Amino acid sequence: MALFVVYCKDKPGALETRMATRPTHLDYLNGAGLVKAAGPLLDDAGSPIGSMLIVEAEDRAAAQTFVDNDPYTLAGLFESVEIQGWRVGVGSIG
């Protein structure tokens, strides 16, 4: 298993889509068993403008499949998504 950082930026003006899809998105993340940490990216006012996840998956293709099936992705929330391999340098991921 490998760790990946998933960095997603929302489309401008998509807050309504984010909020409407949030319960299904959270159920998906909590049920997948792959997410080590996750949370929204925030603007200076504290409003969500994207998401960042640390995912443990078999490989990059598995991480991509996980992201492709996220309700936020399926709802068209994201303007961009980056998946990058990652490893813990300081601290720990439980």
Side-chain angles (χ1 to χ4, degrees):
M1 297 291 267
L3 292 172
F4 299 88
V5 172
V6 181
Y7 186 85
C8 310
K9 296 278 297 218
D10 292 357
K11 291 177 181 173
L15 183 58
E16 186 175 313
T17 300
R18 172 177 278 276
M19 299 314 292
T21 313
R22 186 172 186 269
T24 308
H25 164 75
L26 292 176
D27 286 346
Y28 178 74
L29 296 188
N30 287 318
L34 300 176
V35 179
K36 295 298 185 178
L41 300 170
L42 305 174
D43 65 14
D44 291 339
S47 295
I49 56 168
S51 300
M52 194 199 82
L53 302 86
I54 298 174
V55 175
E56 186 174 44
E58 191 64 36
D59 53 26
R60 189 180 192 296
Q64 182 70 58
T65 297
F66 173 72
V67 172
D68 289 347
N69 290 299
D70 184 323
Y72 277 173
T73 303
L74 297 174
L77 175 64
F78 299 132
E79 178 177 65
S80 64
V81 175
E82 286 184 52
I83 300 174
Q84 187 66 51
W86 182 76
R87 70 171 167 254
V88 177
V90 175
S92 63
I93 297 291

